[in-house]
């Protein structure tokens, strides 16, 4: 990656600050995460704020922050900063809406949004892999991502909603990309 992934660095900084906040002010987790009945009580905003807190604590923080750095940086190099941020926010909020609608009404975290980035990357790899120096022989395994998304949705796991939302957003993005994706650096 020639450029720094500033969008990903910004997301990481926000999530790291929120991790500190949730330990400094424990009530913040309960105030921001998904709650049963939130949609019927007019608390639609919880679909967005649930991205900011890691309701399972330190284990979730330890897994999600590094995953965000890695997946986000790769997504940003392939999709660009603003598309990466749009996929992260859109897929994350949609997955939390699905969760609030009865799949998993209590909780929070950004793993669903990271799954969205992974879905967008998988579709980009499949549809535009040649611009990344890949052949179908190199990238066919990316089909596992939408398949995993479907399976997770069948068992009502909100990560599947994030994966599928990301796949659909990746499809829309790659269909509209007029410029070539960055070429891999020569070894």
């Amino acid at each position: 990656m020639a450029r720094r992934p500033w969008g990903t660095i910004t997301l990481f900084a926000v999530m790291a600050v929120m991790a500190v906040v949730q330990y400094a002010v424990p009530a913040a987790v309960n105030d921001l995460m998904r709650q049963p009945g939130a949609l019927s009580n007019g608390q639609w905003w919880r679909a967005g704020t649930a991205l900011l807190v890691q309701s399972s604590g330190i284990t979730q923080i330890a897994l999600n922050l590094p995953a965000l750095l890695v997946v986000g940086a790769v997504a940003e190099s392939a999709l660009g900063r603003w598309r990466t941020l749009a996929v992260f926010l859109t897929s994350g909020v949609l997955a939390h809406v699905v969760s609030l609608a009865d799949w998993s009404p209590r909780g929070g975290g950004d793993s669903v949004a990271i799954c969205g980035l992974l879905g967008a990357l998988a579709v980009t790899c499949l549809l535009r892999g040649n611009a990344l120096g890949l052949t179908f022989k190199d990238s066919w395994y990316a089909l596992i991502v939408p398949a995993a998304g479907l399976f997770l949705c069948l068992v009502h796991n909100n990560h599947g909603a994030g994966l599928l939302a990301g796949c659909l957003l990746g499809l829309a993005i790659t269909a509209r990309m007029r410029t070539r994706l960055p070429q891999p650096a020569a070894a």
Side-chain angles (χ1 to χ4, degrees):
M1 292 185 296
R3 291 184 270 159
R4 294 213 194 286
W6 290 113
T8 299
I9 291 168
T10 301
L11 284 173
F12 180 85
V14 168
M15 295 305 168
V17 166
M18 287 306 298
V20 171
V21 166
Q22 79 178 57
Y23 279 96
V25 185
V29 176
N30 199 43
D31 291 343
L32 299 175
M33 71 182 206
R34 297 184 314 270
Q35 297 284 354
L39 291 179
S40 60
N41 291 334
Q43 297 177 1
W44 52 266
W45 47 268
R46 287 187 184 268
T49 59
L51 284 170
L52 299 172
V53 292
Q54 311 299 327
S55 60
S56 295
I58 195 70
T59 302
Q60 194 174 11
I61 292 166
L63 293 171
N64 287 354
L65 283 176
L68 175 58
L69 272 180
V70 173
V71 176
V74 174
E76 196 166 337
S77 72
L79 303 174
R81 178 179 308 137
W82 299 112
R83 290 179 183 121
T84 297
L85 293 172
V87 168
F88 181 89
L89 292 172
T90 304
S91 61
V93 169
L94 286 173
H96 282 301
V97 167
V98 166
S99 297
L100 282 165
D102 202 29
W103 280 17
S104 178
R106 184 171 202 74
D110 65 337
S111 58
V112 292
I114 296 166
C115 286
L117 292 176
L118 189 59
L121 277 171
V123 169
T124 300
C125 185
L126 286 167
L127 298 179
R128 306 276 309 221
N130 60 335
L132 296 170
L134 302 172
T135 64
F136 186 75
K137 180 182 167 194
D138 298 325
S139 60
W140 70 268
Y141 56 85
L143 290 169
I144 294 169
V145 173
L150 286 171
F151 172 77
L152 290 171
C153 283
L154 288 173
V155 297
H156 291 202
N157 184 303
N158 60 356
H159 293 88
L163 280 170
L164 290 182
C167 287
L168 292 173
L169 291 166
L171 183 63
I173 288 168
T174 55
R176 295 181 146 255
M177 290 178 111
R178 291 180 175 33
T179 59
R180 291 174 46 98
L181 293 173
Q183 294 294 323

